[in-house]
Amino acid sequence: MAEYLASIFGTEKDKVNCSFYFKIGACRHGDRCSRLHNKPTFSQTIVLLNLYQNPQNTAQTADGSHILGHVSDVEVQEHYDNFFEEVFTELQQKYGEIEEMNICDNLGDHLVGNVYVKFRREEDAERAMAELNNRWFNGQAITAELSPVTDFRESCCRQYEMGECTRGGFCNFMHLKPISSALRRQLYGRSRRSRGSPPRSPKRPRSQDRYRPSDRNRRRSRSPGYRHGRF
């Protein structure tokens, strides 16, 4: 019996524990869910709830189509890359090496703007969670929790990755918004170099480097209404 219960833990066959919370660290029913949300006491991953604010979300219908056109896709990607780099750089410099960071592009209240940060060490995640709950970003208090999610392949919507999700922004699986390929090489290449591994791509010219909070003398053009967050 014990082996059977262990084999179905966190699956849809489990009538006691919430499979959605186990897979994605969030549940649309919240505290009203009829199944248990087993919050971890230790984990490599933290979630910063509803931290990212997509400027296009207020201009979308439930199926993800745009009803307003004043914010272009290029501007949104630039806004997103700036946000991603600032958060990633700040957390890695202050708390420890980040293995993976993902941000939800869903519209449901339990997933919208969630930032999932998987550290290399559980101790770093625990310290980050404790300290970030006393900090603010872009005028809003940060809510940080340890998350059960460590394998994002099980959490994300595969149909969304193929451009075929029919549930749109209110899908209950993660719609992970990608960063630009250049920024990915820059951020994750930096982590590999810090461990002594050779970089897989050459360093970009300085003129192409993206804005970092510590580079006070460097500025980039930004779209009207852009607000760069600050810890």
Side-chain angles (χ1 to χ4, degrees):
M1 185 64 178
E3 291 182 1
Y4 172 73
L5 292 176
S7 69
I8 66 170
F9 180 82
T11 69
E12 294 182 1
K13 294 181 179 180
D14 189 342
K15 302 302 181 183
V16 177
N17 302 288
C18 177
S19 61
F20 272 105
Y21 184 81
F22 180 73
K23 288 181 179 179
I24 66 176
C27 170
R28 64 188 177 94
H29 298 294
D31 294 336
R32 301 187 306 275
C33 184
S34 61
R35 301 183 184 183
L36 295 178
H37 292 177
N38 290 298
K39 296 188 176 182
T41 56
F42 55 88
S43 176
Q44 288 176 265
T45 306
I46 65 171
V47 56
L48 311 178
L49 299 174
N50 312 126
L51 189 65
Y52 176 65
Q53 299 179 8
N54 187 333
Q56 280 186 332
N57 277 352
T58 56
Q60 287 183 348
T61 59
D63 64 359
S65 61
H66 299 292
I67 57 176
L68 296 176
H70 66 281
V71 184
S72 71
D73 290 340
V74 173
E75 289 174 319
V76 169
Q77 188 65 50
E78 181 181 4
H79 176 275
Y80 179 67
D81 280 357
N82 277 311
F83 171 88
F84 193 103
E85 182 178 8
E86 178 168 4
V87 173
F88 186 102
T89 303
E90 169 80 7
L91 297 187
Q92 180 156 264
Q93 289 179 349
K94 190 170 181 64
Y95 301 112
E97 184 179 343
I98 293 173
E99 286 192 353
E100 190 174 357
M101 180 168 130
N102 291 294
I103 300 178
C104 290
D105 201 28
N106 303 65
L107 295 177
D109 290 343
H110 62 301
L111 286 175
V112 60
N114 283 0
V115 179
Y116 291 83
V117 186
K118 182 181 178 182
F119 288 91
R120 192 178 185 192
R121 302 195 313 162
E122 292 176 351
E123 304 94 300
D124 295 337
E126 184 177 7
R127 185 164 65 93
M129 186 266 304
E131 293 187 10
L132 287 171
N133 275 311
N134 296 316
R135 299 182 67 180
W136 293 66
F137 183 88
N138 200 22
Q140 69 178 98
I142 297 175
T143 301
E145 298 177 353
L146 291 175
S147 172
V149 180
T150 55
D151 186 352
F152 290 92
R153 294 171 298 180
E154 296 295 324
S155 309
C156 64
C157 174
R158 293 176 176 82
Q159 287 74 24
Y160 171 78
E161 293 179 341
M162 296 184 292
E164 300 175 355
C165 181
T166 59
R167 294 179 289 263
F170 291 96
C171 178
N172 283 320
F173 287 94
M174 293 183 186
H175 287 189
L176 300 181
K177 186 173 178 65
I179 57 175
S180 64
S181 57
L183 182 58
R184 177 168 294 277
R185 289 193 301 269
Q186 176 186 326
L187 294 179
Y188 291 100
R190 184 186 303 161
S191 296
R192 288 194 299 271
R193 290 193 294 274
S194 69
R195 297 199 303 267
S197 301
R200 292 190 296 180
S201 58
K203 185 177 180 181
R204 295 183 302 160
R206 181 175 295 275
S207 61
Q208 296 181 17
D209 283 349
R210 291 193 174 271
Y211 172 80
R212 292 191 295 271
S214 59
D215 299 338
R216 296 184 182 275
N217 296 325
R218 183 182 301 151
R219 294 292 185 269
R220 304 168 61 227
S221 61
R222 300 189 178 93
S223 56
Y226 173 80
R227 290 186 61 192
H228 196 59
R230 290 281 183 182
F231 279 99

